[in-house]
């Protein structure tokens, strides 16, 4: 994968995490604010509700204290229909119960007939009612923790206290209502002691203590809160759930209502939004990956195509190489046949030159012979003998030409055998001895002490050496201190070098061409080097020519060495 994709993916991941984190913080904060406002509203609502309920019943005792039937019943001590009357009052007002107490503290009439006969004389509330002018309120918490709320007032007739009337206010109905609506609410008095609560274990306990002990989050909750950046002091933890507490004063005896709003609603909403975000990101990532993989597939298709093209190119190339090799081979064979053809052409040229070369002495011979015939007829024998001698010379010359031609036409490899080049040199020099004796030339020989063996025909190698030395002799003919050096060196290749200090080679590229000569007619036909080069080639070697430094010519006959190993192989 290209590095740019890695970067894009890495940055995308970081961006995604950032977006999730910040949206989590933002959403949690804003939803929490909404929840807090809702909680405050609810708390105020519930508080107002309770307050109005309480206030509604505050006037009921005052009204009942003036009720004539109740006063009559108290004064006559006849309560036959009083309880029924109280029951109808209870039903009309919606109070929990209404009951009448006489001066002795005994319940003489009650909407709830079970209460009849109960003695309330030694309760603080009863004596307070007797002492006080007007309605008084009391909240009475039972040992089990449930609290009852009462309004009561003494009943007087012409300044005489007849008894008391008590109305019990049913706040437990509100409590039930809260419980049913699945909210957590508590109502505490001015000391903070819980009187009503959806959680029954809170009753009679101090609200401040409850909240204090519920403020301790677990480590996980602390980390979670830190991540969401909610002020931890705002939250309370009850049964593993998080709540925001909102307190509303009732405006009644310093009472306070606490409303607990659950954070899980906020969490659920935040989680829903974050889940949506993650889904969106996943879809986006899937699209991006799809795009990337499509591009990669395209790329791989292209590279496959390219490599296929490369393979095809390679195949074409190797077939071309094959063709070239083939062409080279056919060229070689063509060259070989061309060589053969040029050899034949050279033969043709040569025969033309030879016939020209031979025709001259033949014509001369005819003339000499005709002259000799006449001289013999006239008996001038001395002169005729001279003519015959000339004919003899001409024949010798013709013989030389045909001899050279014969050696040129001879087939190669006829009599190949191991020969020592040193013997060839000395044979050639002995053949050349008469001419060397005529021409005063310094001949230097550098021959190795050990044998220099090659495979070939000794006579033909000797012919090459004779040709080279006779050319050298021609070249040094007009030099003041003529010198010819023959050197034989041993190596993988055996080299015979013939150097002279003559006039040098005029045209080194052409000297091996048949019939190339710079000599006058009769002095040279231009075959010596052509034939010699052919012999060298036939033996697997070569003949090369160059000009010497500072003057003269250098000819080198290079032949492959036939050593002991070759001999053994044979
Ligand atoms: N040692 C040399 N120095 C200078 N030129 C040379 C020497 N050897 C050969 N040449 C040149 O090369 C030519 C060809 O020599 P090549 O031996 O083939 O023929 P040629 O000597 O002219 O005649 P022939 O057939 O009788 O040998 C010569 O005519 C001469 O010009
Ligand atoms: Mg020659």
């Amino acid at each position: 994968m290209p590095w740019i994709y890695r970067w894009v993916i890495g940055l995308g991941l970081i961006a995604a995490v950032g977006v999730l984190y910040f949206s989590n913080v933002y959403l949690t904060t804003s939803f929490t604010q909404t929840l807090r406002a809702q909680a405050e509203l609810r708390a105020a609502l519930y508080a107002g509700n309770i307050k109005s309920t309480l206030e509604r019943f505050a006037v009921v005792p005052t009204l009942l204290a003036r009720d004539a039937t109740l006063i009559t019943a108290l004064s006559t001590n006849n309560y036959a229909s009083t309880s029924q009357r109280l029951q109808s009052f209870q039903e009309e007002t919606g109070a929990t119960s209404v009951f009448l107490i006489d001066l002795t503290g005994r319940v003489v009439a009650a909407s709830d007939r079970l209460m009849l006969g109960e003695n309330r004389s030694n309760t603080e509330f009863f004596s307070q009612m007797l002492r006080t002018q007007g309605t008084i309120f009391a909240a009475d918490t039972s040992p089990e923790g449930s609290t009852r709320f009462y309004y009561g007032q003494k009943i007087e007739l012409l300044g005489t206290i007849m008894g008391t009337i008590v109305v019990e206010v049913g706040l437990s109905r509100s409590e039930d209502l809260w419980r049913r609506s699945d909210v957590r609410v508590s109502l505490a008095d001015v000391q903070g002691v819980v009187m009503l609560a959806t959680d029954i274990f809170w009753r009679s306990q101090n609200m401040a203590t409850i909240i204090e002990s519920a403020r301790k989050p677990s480590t996980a909750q602390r980390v979670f809160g830190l991540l969401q950046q909610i002020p931890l002091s705002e939250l309370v933890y009850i049964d593993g759930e998080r709540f925001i507490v909102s307190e509303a004063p009732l405006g009644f005896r310093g009472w306070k209502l606490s409303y607990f709003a659950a954070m899980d609603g906020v969490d659920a909403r935040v989680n829903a939004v974050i889940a949506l975000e993650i889904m969106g990101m996943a879809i986006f990532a899937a699209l991006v990956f799809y795009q990337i993989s499509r591009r990669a597939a395209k790329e791989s298709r292209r590279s496959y195509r390219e490599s296929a093209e490369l393979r095809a190119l390679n195949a074409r190339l190797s077939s071309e190489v094959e063709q070239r090799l083939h062409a080279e081979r056919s060229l070689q064979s063509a060259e070989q046949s061309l060589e053969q053809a040029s050899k034949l052409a050279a033969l043709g040229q040569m025969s033309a030159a030879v016939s020209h070369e031979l025709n001259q002495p033949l014509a001369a011979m005819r003339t000499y012979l005709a002259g000799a015939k006449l001289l013999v007829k006239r008996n001038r024998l001395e002169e005729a003998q001279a003519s015959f001698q000339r004919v003899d010379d001409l024949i010798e010359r013709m013989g030389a030409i045909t001899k050279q031609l014969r050696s040129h036409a001879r087939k190669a490899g006829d009599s190949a055998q191991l020969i020592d080049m040193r013997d060839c040199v000395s044979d050639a020099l002995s053949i050349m001895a008469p001419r060397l004796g005529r021409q005063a030339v310094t001949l230097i020989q550098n021959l190795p002490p050990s044998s220099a063996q090659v495979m070939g025909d000794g006579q033909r190698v000797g012919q090459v050496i004779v040709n080279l030395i006779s050319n050298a002799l021609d070249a040094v003919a007009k030099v003041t201190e003529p010198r010819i050096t023959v050197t034989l060196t041993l190596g993988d290749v055996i080299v015979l070098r013939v150097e002279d200090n003559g006039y040098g080679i005029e045209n080194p590229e052409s000297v091996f061409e048949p019939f190339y000569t710079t000599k006058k007619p009769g002095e040279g036909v231009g075959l010596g080097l052509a034939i010699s080069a052919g012999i060298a080639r036939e033996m697997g070697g070569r003949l090369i020519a160059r000009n010497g430094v500072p003057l003269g010519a250098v000819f080198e006959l290079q032949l492959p060495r036939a050593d002991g190993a070759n001999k053994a192989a044979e």
Side-chain angles (χ1 to χ4, degrees):
M1 195 185 284
W3 63 270
I4 184 115
Y5 286 152
R6 291 179 196 204
W7 271 98
V8 166
I9 289 171
L11 287 177
L13 275 178
I14 291 169
V17 169
V19 165
L20 289 178
Y21 174 72
F22 284 112
S23 58
N24 183 26
V25 169
Y26 171 76
L27 291 170
T28 309
T29 313
S30 77
F31 288 157
T32 307
Q33 251 164 29
T34 318
L35 186 73
R36 199 179 297 125
Q38 272 176 7
E40 275 163 16
L41 199 74
R42 282 288 180 89
L45 211 73
Y46 287 161
N49 198 9
I50 291 195
K51 191 190 174 192
S52 74
T53 310
L54 286 168
E55 279 173 350
R56 189 145 52 87
F57 287 98
V59 293
V60 177
T62 315
L63 293 175
L64 292 182
R66 294 187 194 145
D67 189 86
T69 38
L70 294 183
I71 296 170
T72 314
L74 281 171
S75 54
T76 58
N77 231 10
N78 179 6
Y79 305 105
S81 60
T82 320
S83 283
Q84 204 179 347
R85 181 154 179 79
L86 289 182
Q87 200 172 355
S88 72
F89 275 134
Q90 181 254 324
E91 276 163 16
E92 276 166 36
T93 56
T96 304
S97 64
V98 183
F99 51 93
L100 191 68
I101 306 173
D102 68 4
L103 265 182
T104 64
R106 199 169 55 94
V107 175
V108 287
S111 60
D112 180 2
R113 283 173 198 272
L114 286 174
M115 291 175 76
L116 287 175
E118 272 182 24
N119 194 338
R120 302 273 173 132
S121 59
N122 46 8
T123 63
E124 168 62 23
F125 182 53
F126 181 65
S127 34
Q128 217 181 338
M129 276 193 289
L130 295 182
R131 275 203 308 273
T132 319
Q133 200 65 43
T135 308
I136 65 161
F137 176 82
D140 176 30
T141 305
S142 74
E144 310 91 60
S146 60
T147 311
R148 290 161 171 268
F149 305 94
Y150 300 104
Y151 278 108
Q153 187 173 344
K154 61 183 175 190
I155 299 174
E156 285 174 306
L157 181 64
L158 302 170
T160 315
I161 300 169
M162 308 292 291
T164 61
I165 180 76
V166 179
V167 175
E168 188 189 346
V169 183
L171 288 183
S172 56
R173 215 183 288 158
S174 303
E175 201 183 34
D176 284 343
L177 213 71
W178 298 338
R179 217 169 271 148
R180 273 205 300 280
S181 3
D182 211 19
V183 292
R184 284 179 192 247
V185 183
S186 68
L187 180 68
D189 65 11
V190 71
Q191 269 96 38
V193 177
V194 174
M195 297 179 294
L196 292 177
T198 46
D199 196 322
I200 51 164
F201 301 109
W202 291 355
R203 283 182 186 159
S204 313
Q205 302 217 19
N206 194 298
M207 198 62 231
T209 328
I210 294 170
I211 290 182
E212 197 52 44
S213 66
R215 285 247 188 255
K216 286 167 190 133
S218 69
T219 315
Q221 283 166 336
R222 196 188 295 272
V223 170
F224 196 52
L226 263 176
L227 276 179
Q228 295 181 321
Q229 300 210 332
I230 311 171
L232 287 174
S233 56
E234 255 192 60
L235 299 178
V236 295
Y237 304 86
I238 302 162
D239 303 336
E241 275 184 58
R242 298 183 305 161
F243 294 89
I244 287 179
V245 196
S246 183
E247 290 188 335
L250 229 60
F252 180 83
R253 293 172 163 244
W255 289 8
K256 243 191 227 164
L257 185 131
S258 303
Y259 178 85
F260 296 79
M263 281 287 287
D264 54 359
V266 169
D267 290 342
R269 283 166 70 190
V270 170
N271 289 348
V273 174
I274 284 183
L276 266 176
E277 278 178 0
I278 288 175
M279 219 163 78
M281 284 170 185
I283 289 171
F284 178 73
L287 280 177
V288 167
F289 280 120
Y290 172 70
Q291 202 62 32
I292 287 174
S293 76
R294 233 180 57 168
R295 196 172 293 183
K298 216 193 260 174
E299 195 88 350
S300 80
R301 269 205 302 279
R302 209 186 60 208
S303 73
Y304 178 77
R305 211 165 44 227
E306 269 170 12
S307 71
E309 274 167 16
L310 255 162
R311 274 199 299 275
L313 199 74
N314 214 23
R316 216 160 53 225
L317 239 137
S318 47
S319 88
E320 243 165 57
V321 166
E322 190 60 39
Q323 278 170 10
R324 285 282 153 81
L325 280 174
H326 184 76
E328 213 163 276
R329 277 196 294 274
S330 48
L331 195 73
Q332 256 171 16
S333 69
E335 260 173 10
Q336 274 166 6
S337 50
L338 202 71
E339 201 176 17
Q340 195 64 32
S342 75
K343 223 173 181 176
L344 290 175
L347 261 179
Q349 277 181 351
M350 206 179 332
S351 46
V354 166
S355 56
H356 173 75
E357 203 74 17
L358 293 182
N359 271 342
Q360 254 183 324
L362 278 176
M365 273 163 78
R366 191 178 287 155
T367 314
Y368 283 133
L369 281 178
K373 225 165 152 184
L374 270 176
L375 287 172
V376 169
K377 249 184 206 165
R378 290 178 192 166
N379 218 3
R380 287 153 65 178
L381 292 177
E382 287 283 299
E383 288 163 79
Q385 205 170 353
S387 286
F388 283 131
Q389 183 57 47
R390 288 216 181 88
V391 171
D392 207 25
D393 288 348
L394 285 170
I395 288 171
E396 198 177 321
R397 185 166 137 70
M398 286 164 73
I401 291 172
T402 51
K403 198 176 148 198
Q404 279 215 6
L405 278 176
R406 241 199 347 267
S407 79
H408 186 60
R410 218 156 98 179
K411 261 194 191 163
D414 275 354
S415 50
Q417 58 189 40
L418 269 183
I419 48 172
D420 191 335
M421 285 293 283
R422 293 181 304 175
D423 298 342
C424 297
V425 172
S426 52
D427 285 353
L429 287 176
S430 64
I431 291 171
M432 297 294 291
R435 213 183 141 186
L436 281 168
R438 273 202 305 276
Q439 227 171 312
V441 175
T442 316
L443 181 78
I444 304 164
Q445 289 184 64
N446 296 318
L447 301 182
S450 54
S451 70
Q453 288 189 312
V454 297
M455 284 297 291
D457 182 338
Q459 277 187 10
R460 287 162 73 80
V461 177
Q463 193 190 341
V464 173
I465 299 168
V466 166
N467 275 336
L468 293 179
I469 292 174
S470 80
N471 279 349
L473 284 171
D474 286 344
V476 297
K478 287 172 183 151
V479 172
T480 42
E481 276 181 26
R483 192 178 64 244
I484 296 174
T485 313
V486 179
T487 313
L488 189 61
T489 43
L490 296 181
D492 283 344
V493 173
I494 289 177
V495 180
L496 176 79
R497 192 181 312 124
V498 179
E499 292 164 272
D500 63 60
N501 58 347
Y503 47 76
I505 309 166
E506 220 170 84
N507 202 349
E509 290 90 53
S510 310
V511 292
F512 297 111
E513 284 170 15
F515 300 108
Y516 169 79
T517 181
T518 53
K519 293 167 191 170
K520 287 183 208 124
E523 282 176 10
V525 284
L527 281 177
L529 286 181
I531 290 167
S532 300
I535 292 167
R537 258 202 311 278
E538 280 163 15
M539 291 175 72
R542 59 179 179 165
L543 185 61
I544 56 173
R546 64 170 184 270
N547 273 315
V549 180
L551 75 167
V554 182
F555 284 83
E556 263 184 28
L557 172 65
Q558 303 177 347
L559 294 173
R561 184 179 189 172
D563 51 16
N566 282 5
K567 206 170 165 188
E570 274 180 79

